């Protein structure tokens, strides 16, 4: 790691701490030449491979933007969107892959979105799964009803 002050390539780690809920490591370093201290942050890179083959960094904000469109006019607050994006990122990181197809990101969004708001879920699924007919919507609604019935405890 190069010192940002004198550009010397020799530094030693003085302190290390986890940050961002364990997603990154903050290291306090000391330059062997000038003695000044500086901080570095190490983070595992998570890349998304788009259908076109282009690779870009995973962005929680992009997840929030996509889900926000599906939630337009629905009683979903910004906090819930941020939590959903966090859950999506956690589930993607849990796969252990450094690169993940964009299709997998969409699948990771569908589950938490269904729990958050069923109408927004249908909107997102209709675009994501390219619904082409009323029958596609009817099938998805039937699936939603069967999941809701299975989740409802019997008394």
């Amino acid at each position: 790691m190069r010192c940002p002050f004198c550009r010397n390539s020799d530094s030693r780690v003085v302190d290390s701490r986890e940050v961002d809920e364990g997603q990154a490591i903050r290291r306090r370093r000391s330059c062997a030449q000038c003695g000044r201290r500086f901080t570095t942050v190490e983070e595992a890179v998570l890349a998304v491979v788009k259908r076109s083959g282009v690779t870009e960094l995973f962005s929680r904000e992009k997840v929030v933007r996509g889900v926000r469109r599906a939630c337009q006019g629905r009683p979903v607050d910004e906090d819930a969107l941020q939590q959903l994006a966090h859950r999506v990122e956690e589930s993607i990181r849990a796969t252990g892959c450094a690169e993940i197809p964009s299709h997998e990101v969409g699948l990771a969004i569908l589950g938490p979105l269904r729990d958050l708001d069923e109408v927004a879920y249908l909107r997102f699924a209709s675009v994501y799964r390219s619904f082409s007919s009323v029958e596609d919507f009817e099938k998805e609604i039937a699936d939603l009803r069967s999941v809701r019935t299975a989740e409802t405890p019997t008394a």
Side-chain angles (χ1 to χ4, degrees):
M1 170 61 34
R2 286 197 186 278
C3 172
F5 307 108
C6 71
R7 309 299 297 155
N8 182 35
S9 61
D10 188 22
S11 66
R12 67 181 183 88
V13 176
V14 177
D15 182 40
S16 292
R17 295 181 186 197
E18 285 187 4
V19 292
D20 196 21
E21 298 175 11
Q23 297 301 318
I25 298 174
R26 182 183 142 285
R27 297 197 194 278
R28 192 75 180 134
R29 296 178 176 269
S30 177
C31 177
Q33 185 172 331
C34 69
R36 294 178 77 177
R37 291 185 172 200
F38 58 98
T39 301
T40 59
V41 177
E42 296 175 19
E43 184 175 32
V45 175
L46 182 60
V48 176
V49 181
K50 309 202 51 131
R51 286 182 215 156
S52 65
V54 174
T55 302
E56 64 180 43
L57 293 178
F58 175 83
S59 166
R60 273 192 204 176
E61 189 51 42
K62 203 165 181 182
V63 170
V64 169
R65 275 196 313 267
V67 173
R68 186 181 290 131
R69 273 183 255 138
C71 292
Q72 245 175 347
R74 301 294 304 154
V76 176
D77 65 354
E78 190 63 28
D79 241 13
L81 294 178
Q82 293 297 332
Q83 288 175 358
L84 181 138
H86 180 74
R87 284 177 60 192
V88 168
E89 183 176 2
E90 280 184 336
S91 70
I92 290 171
R93 285 194 186 277
T95 65
C97 298
E99 290 186 349
I100 188 160
S102 58
H103 175 77
E104 296 293 323
V105 176
L107 288 175
I109 291 171
L110 287 173
L113 185 56
R114 185 185 63 222
D115 297 339
L116 182 65
D117 186 278
E118 290 177 341
V119 172
Y121 166 80
L122 278 174
R123 289 175 179 170
F124 189 88
S126 71
V127 173
Y128 177 72
R129 293 186 176 152
S130 303
F131 287 6
S132 58
S133 67
V134 172
E135 288 79 22
D136 292 337
F137 279 95
E138 289 173 341
K139 181 187 176 312
E140 197 64 42
I141 290 169
D143 290 347
L144 273 173
R145 286 186 175 135
S146 67
V147 166
R148 190 188 309 154
T149 303
E151 291 175 351
T152 305
T154 54

